[in-house]
Amino acid sequence: MIRWRAPIDRMVWADPRRRARKLMQFAEVEAQGARDLFRAAEVTPDPHLRRRLFAHARDEVRHAALFRARGLALRRTLADPGPDRALGDGLIPGERGFDRLEVEKESMAALLAFIHLSERAAAHAFAAYGAVLGHDPETRAVIARIARDEEGHMRYSRAELARLAPDQGRRALWIARLRRLWRAYLRLALILADLISRLILTLVYFLLLAPFAWMAKRSARRQAPGWRACVDRSRDGGGGQY
Amino acid sequence: MKILGISAFYHDAAAALTIDGLPVAAVQEERLSRSKNDPAFPLRAITWCLDHAALEPEDLDAVIFYERPALKFDRVLMTLLRGFPQSWRIFPQAMKNMVGEKLWVRGIISAQLGVPAKRIHFTDHHLSHAAAAFLTAPTQQAAILTADGVGEWATLTVGQARKRSGGPAEISLLREVHFPHSLGLFYSAFTAWLGFPVNEGEYKVMGLAAYGTPRFAGEVRHMLHRTRDGAFALDLGYFDHHRAADAAYSHRFVELFGPPRDRFEPIDPTTPQGRHYADVAASAQCVLEEVIVDIATALRRETGLSDLCLGGGVALNGVANARILRASSFERLFVPPAPGDAGCALGAALWADRILFGQPHRDCPDHPFWGPAVVPTDLARLAAEDGLSCERVGEAELMDRLVDAIGRGAIVGWMEGAAEFGPRALGHRSILADPGDAAMRDRINRDIKFRESFRPFAPVVPADHAETFFELPPGGARLGRFMSGVFPVRPEWRDRLRAVTHVDGTARVQMLEAAMAPRLHALLMAYGRRHGLPVLLNTSFNLAGDPIVTSAAEGYSTFRRAGLDLLVAEDLIVRRDPARQDHSLEAMA
Ligand SMILES: [Fe+2]
Ligand SMILES: [Fe+2]
Ligand SMILES: [Fe+2]
């Protein structure tokens, strides 16, 4: 699993700008993950699970701080850190954390299965990045430390799943797996749909809009800035969207 | 009549319910979804409002949306056309945004709530702002000024309004300024250039301005100049909000002020670079104030009215508000607790009741507490499950213990009754602490709010003691009711109010009437009797990046995460486990 992607990872992590950007993004993902987990802790009725989720959330807060500190340090070594974001967010599934966990909508079993799989993906991803970061020992140390925690998160969430839903555990894991796949597919589909609609709308823009644009500009020229009288629309019975 | 007001799809969605002309419930979606500034259709907020009044959607006589989506679409489309062909880049995104959701509001409301389409109504964005400011204010007749980023086309309106308890109400907006000329977007361009998030970071610009001198005011007056008829216009060469969806300032802006601030690096106003940022902020703030004071002064002359109701996001600028009060010769200034777009949910509902349906006016209760109430027994259960000490105590003893603890440096989470509607904690969901301890301010900034050290905290003081500590212009107490004005701290008290006095010697003080929040008022008085001054540091009860807490569970969670010393929900008091070191980096979450 790790070996085939090593060349890609190496390429991704070679550029210090991208490296810094990725670390800052990870910091945001971890911070959001922490918020989701605190929320999960707030809504769970089980006191033991609440304490585990709370402790987990605190780990993620610490991860956010570690990623951020390292990202900032790296950023300060760059002459020009470049834009905050590349196209889209450029994150792969293992880097997405819980990917907008909808805490209130899930059963506890589904939530734990989802946490387990997300942590597992994160642990794998971080292990792979550690392997290609030989040239940046500081970043590597940060990632290795976090990867260890993620393994712990993987284990406790599995154990809690077994404790709280002994007969649904496997099923919940399978459903969560399918949902992660479905989300990945949806994301791809959305990117594709976005590209297509962009293309079509851009064509529309250039083919159809020019005469209207000419009229709009003419009318704009006639309007001096400053006060305008308010149009009284209350006589429409409040019905109109216009 | 039972009327539901909705504000959504832009920033900070909300719902509000009025029954027989009076507010019954109002809450921002973020307080329930726990996602800060949640702009989504506020289904949770609506559901809560209806449940609170034990209503089903079919019981509603009307639902009113706070603006006219098609008119907004007209502005977006027209702006794109006028920007042809440079606007090609943003055209697809803008179209998808509008056509995807924002344009079909009637259908969305009807489908989500199952309310027949003919019961769904719309009003003008700025009328919603005006109604939120005027119909909730204890005045019979007032001039109206609303200013924000942009609604449909209008960005600023002036008008006048009158009402009489039991009689008709009437709001007439006389004139407006149209997009792209906008005071809100002007300020947002500086917010973005200074590296703060637009629509949230504007008050940071205001805080930073106090560190600088307005040495660029001349340049800024070119960017935001006055038109001969007394309005204003932006020099669009400096701005990009009319050309791009995600940009606020242009290359020319950068040529003038230098490269934008790196949002990842802290601002230090003691360095030359930090001072430069502060000077730019001060210049923007100064010119904004000049323009708005001037418009208000002219409005006062024109209407001859002595009260002014101020609405729209620009009314969150407490420094500008105080200057309007000092300089425009209005005697009283009314700013509602939620002057921004969330408050439009309530404004639109009241407008529909009084004006669309012509119901007689009824004076609204003059407080912001329209949200979900805290349930102390929930807190008792959570604390007991975690083995924390938790007691119910009588009022006198509770006050006594709190006064004692705060005097010894404790930071207290304070929850009481219904949550505030609007962005500010006004006494029901607050973090309270000693106002004289600068180390405390730094601890709260660092560990709880995780925010820039240049940002001040606000004090709360009983209204009848405010004059002792703060220099108030006539009418200042009204402006301070919902923390809408920034006033100088009297020099002799600045040292004892260190943690709440900004670098320029001012404070955004809340002046608390006993009737509005009796228990917090009692606490202030008890604190004053023991420690000599009835003032506390009061900041909203939330961690950085989170919305203000609503329920006991959220309060408890925040109490644990932030390492607060005490948590109070009504008469219940929970103490931090002294054996566990709870302060940690996690405030960064
Ligand atoms: Fe993590
Ligand atoms: Fe984790
Ligand atoms: Fe607005």
Side-chain angles (χ1 to χ4, degrees):
Chain A
M1 162 82 179
I2 291 179
R3 205 169 302 147
W4 67 264
R5 54 186 271 187
I8 307 174
D9 288 340
R10 196 164 289 128
M11 211 170 66
V12 167
W13 287 88
D15 174 19
R17 265 166 63 161
R18 191 175 305 131
R19 201 149 72 226
R21 193 170 63 218
K22 274 206 160 290
L23 291 171
M24 300 307 282
Q25 272 182 308
F26 288 0
E28 274 169 36
V29 171
E30 299 279 321
Q32 185 53 49
R35 262 180 231 128
D36 290 340
L37 288 164
F38 280 124
R39 184 67 190 149
E42 283 163 14
V43 301
T44 180
D46 183 274
H48 184 259
L49 177 60
R50 182 164 64 240
R51 284 190 281 276
R52 300 308 299 256
L53 289 169
F54 205 82
H56 180 180
R58 295 195 145 174
D59 281 350
E60 303 299 352
V61 170
R62 208 177 59 246
H63 295 173
L66 285 167
F67 275 133
R68 192 180 158 84
R70 181 62 200 139
L72 274 178
L74 206 66
R75 225 167 158 273
R76 291 194 181 117
T77 64
L78 303 170
D80 168 24
D84 291 351
R85 296 212 181 282
L87 183 73
D89 61 6
L91 293 174
I92 61 167
E95 302 173 344
R96 279 183 190 281
F98 309 121
D99 196 8
R100 283 173 294 134
L101 205 59
E102 289 189 307
V103 172
E104 269 110 358
K105 291 190 188 154
E106 310 280 352
S107 73
M108 259 315 138
L111 202 69
L112 282 167
F114 208 79
I115 291 175
H116 174 73
L117 291 176
S118 308
E119 293 292 337
R120 195 154 112 159
H124 281 280
F126 291 151
Y129 303 155
V132 298
L133 276 168
H135 55 290
D136 182 351
E138 277 135 317
T139 302
R140 183 186 182 145
V142 165
I143 286 189
R145 208 170 130 193
I146 290 173
R148 266 200 303 282
D149 282 349
E150 310 298 26
E151 276 169 38
H153 298 158
M154 216 171 106
R155 280 194 297 275
Y156 99 85
S157 49
R158 186 76 184 84
E160 284 295 292
L161 181 60
R163 179 176 76 87
L164 288 167
D167 9 282
Q168 295 162 45
R170 277 176 165 281
R171 211 177 100 86
L173 278 171
W174 270 111
I175 294 175
R177 242 172 237 135
L178 288 175
R179 280 180 47 196
R180 281 177 66 87
L181 271 177
W182 175 241
R183 279 196 192 181
Y185 163 76
L186 265 189
R187 190 167 294 113
L188 266 179
L190 279 177
I191 291 173
L192 199 68
D194 185 59
L195 281 175
I196 295 171
S197 65
R198 233 166 238 279
L199 191 76
I200 295 174
L201 284 166
T202 307
L203 280 174
V204 167
Y205 181 88
F206 284 111
L207 294 178
L208 298 183
L209 252 52
F212 298 102
W214 180 77
M215 288 192 293
K217 284 182 188 205
R218 253 177 64 107
S219 78
R221 266 196 295 277
R222 271 186 271 128
Q223 289 169 347
W227 291 118
R228 276 151 214 266
C230 294
V231 181
D232 183 9
R233 295 184 201 87
S234 55
R235 310 260 170 271
D236 72 353
Q241 302 205 43
Y242 286 96
Chain B
M1 289 188 88
K2 303 177 188 72
I3 301 174
L4 179 72
I6 297 175
S7 141
F9 299 130
Y10 177 57
H11 174 256
D12 204 8
L17 180 68
T18 63
I19 298 182
D20 297 333
L22 290 178
V24 170
V27 64
Q28 289 144 272
E29 181 70 0
E30 63 157 29
R31 303 291 159 87
L32 302 171
S33 73
R34 309 309 299 160
S35 159
K36 195 162 177 153
N37 294 323
D38 195 339
F41 184 75
L43 196 55
R44 292 179 182 86
I46 293 170
T47 309
W48 179 79
C49 287
L50 294 178
D51 285 352
H52 181 69
L55 295 181
E56 295 295 328
E58 50 270 28
D59 301 331
L60 292 169
D61 296 295
V63 179
I64 180 146
F65 192 69
Y66 80 126
E67 62 179 13
R68 298 184 191 271
L71 196 59
K72 191 167 198 162
F73 180 68
D74 175 62
R75 187 248 306 161
V76 171
L77 191 62
M78 199 55 90
T79 307
L80 289 165
L81 288 172
R82 287 177 187 171
F84 189 90
Q86 293 96 326
S87 59
W88 73 274
R89 255 176 241 282
I90 54 161
F91 178 77
Q93 195 52 48
M95 281 302 106
K96 279 192 292 180
N97 253 340
M98 287 301 301
V99 179
E101 195 168 49
K102 297 184 184 176
L103 199 48
W104 316 115
V105 173
R106 192 190 295 268
I108 292 173
I109 295 175
S110 171
Q112 294 276 5
L113 303 186
V115 174
K118 65 175 192 314
R119 268 190 239 164
I120 300 169
H121 305 270
F122 298 84
T123 183
D124 297 0
H125 187 109
H126 279 260
L127 262 177
S128 299
H129 278 311
F134 176 69
L135 294 176
T136 59
T139 168
Q140 297 214 322
Q141 219 181 356
I144 306 277
L145 173 54
T146 65
D148 66 0
V150 60
E152 296 94 355
W153 272 103
T155 67
L156 179 141
T157 67
V158 295
Q160 53 184 329
R162 82 172 92 216
K163 63 182 191 273
R164 177 162 58 75
S165 195
E170 175 188 326
I171 300 177
S172 52
L173 297 182
L174 307 167
R175 290 186 302 281
E176 60 192 23
V177 174
H178 275 196
F179 181 88
H181 306 289
S182 158
L183 293 183
L185 293 173
F186 158 81
Y187 210 72
S188 293
F190 287 89
T191 307
W193 181 82
L194 285 164
F196 305 125
V198 168
N199 282 333
E200 293 173 48
E202 278 72 8
Y203 56 103
K204 297 187 187 181
V205 179
M206 190 182 88
L208 185 61
Y211 284 87
T213 48
R215 65 189 169 93
F216 299 108
E219 286 88 336
V220 177
R221 281 187 203 108
H222 284 292
M223 304 166 77
L224 172 63
H225 56 266
R226 312 302 307 282
T227 52
R228 245 178 281 146
D229 59 359
F232 63 88
L234 297 178
D235 180 339
L236 295 170
Y238 292 101
F239 300 90
D240 249 357
H241 57 258
H242 57 302
R243 274 190 294 253
D246 49 358
Y249 53 85
S250 71
H251 290 295
R252 247 173 89 195
F253 191 107
V254 174
E255 277 162 27
L256 184 58
F257 294 123
R261 186 182 77 88
D262 183 343
R263 71 183 174 101
F264 291 114
E265 297 295 343
I267 292 187
D268 179 356
T270 59
T271 63
Q273 186 62 60
R275 253 197 315 280
H276 175 71
Y277 294 136
D279 289 347
V280 173
S283 309
Q285 174 69 29
C286 165
V287 175
L288 174 86
E289 289 171 20
E290 287 170 7
V291 173
I292 202 154
V293 165
D294 214 45
I295 290 175
T297 310
L299 185 62
R300 155 86 192 169
R301 236 181 289 125
E302 179 183 346
T303 59
L305 296 167
S306 55
D307 288 349
L308 174 66
C309 290
L310 204 56
V314 175
L316 286 165
N317 194 312
V319 178
N321 294 348
R323 191 157 155 196
I324 293 174
L325 184 60
R326 278 199 318 270
S328 70
S329 70
F330 276 109
E331 282 157 33
R332 293 190 300 176
L333 198 51
F334 296 93
V335 179
D341 284 0
C344 286
L346 182 57
L350 291 170
W351 179 86
D353 182 78
R354 310 287 194 276
I355 291 160
L356 183 61
F357 300 120
Q359 299 292 305
H361 175 73
R362 297 181 60 184
D363 291 331
C364 293
D366 196 12
H367 67 70
F369 307 120
W370 302 113
V374 64
V375 182
T377 45
D378 290 351
L379 176 61
R381 178 180 55 80
L382 290 167
E385 283 172 359
D386 285 348
L388 290 182
S389 128
C390 165
E391 288 172 80
R392 260 176 206 284
V393 285
E395 173 141 333
E397 183 174 355
L398 178 77
M399 298 300 159
D400 210 47
R401 284 202 209 175
L402 288 177
V403 162
D404 197 51
I406 294 173
R408 281 187 283 106
I411 302 179
V412 176
W414 172 269
M415 307 182 78
E416 191 187 349
E420 291 90 345
F421 180 53
R424 285 174 182 145
L426 295 167
H428 280 191
R429 298 290 185 275
S430 289
I431 292 175
L432 304 172
D434 176 358
D437 185 349
M440 164 87 58
R441 175 195 57 207
D442 296 343
R443 183 181 150 201
I444 300 177
N445 260 330
R446 188 189 60 233
D447 293 346
I448 300 173
K449 296 291 179 153
F450 184 53
R451 60 186 212 176
E452 301 79 358
S453 54
F454 64 81
R455 304 238 329 262
F457 286 106
V460 54
V461 61
D464 32 8
H465 289 69
E467 288 272 11
T468 313
F469 306 99
F470 305 95
E471 289 167 19
L472 303 177
R478 176 66 218 188
L479 197 51
R481 185 178 180 91
F482 303 133
M483 242 188 215
S484 309
V486 172
F487 301 106
V489 180
R490 291 194 186 277
E492 62 272 29
W493 289 102
R494 285 184 192 168
D495 192 50
R496 291 198 59 192
L497 293 172
R498 251 174 321 218
V500 293
T501 303
H502 200 21
V503 59
D504 58 353
T506 63
R508 196 183 71 195
V509 55
Q510 182 192 356
M511 297 166 212
L512 189 68
E513 212 72 70
M516 193 170 107
R519 284 162 60 87
L520 180 57
H521 190 272
L523 178 64
L524 288 167
M525 295 308 287
Y527 190 83
R529 281 193 295 275
R530 178 85 60 91
H531 300 289
L533 69 180
V535 183
L536 287 172
L537 180 157
N538 167 25
T539 183
S540 57
F541 195 171
N542 63 311
L543 286 167
D546 285 354
I548 300 178
V549 301
T550 301
S551 71
E554 291 145 20
Y556 176 72
S557 162
T558 303
F559 157 77
R560 299 283 309 273
R561 290 160 66 188
L564 302 185
D565 301 291
L566 293 168
L567 175 61
V568 179
E570 312 270 349
D571 58 348
L572 197 77
I573 183 163
V574 177
R575 199 181 301 278
R576 179 160 67 100
D577 181 355
R580 282 239 290 275
Q581 263 309 315
D582 266 353
H583 330 249
S584 66
L585 286 168
E586 74 175 69
M588 292 184 178

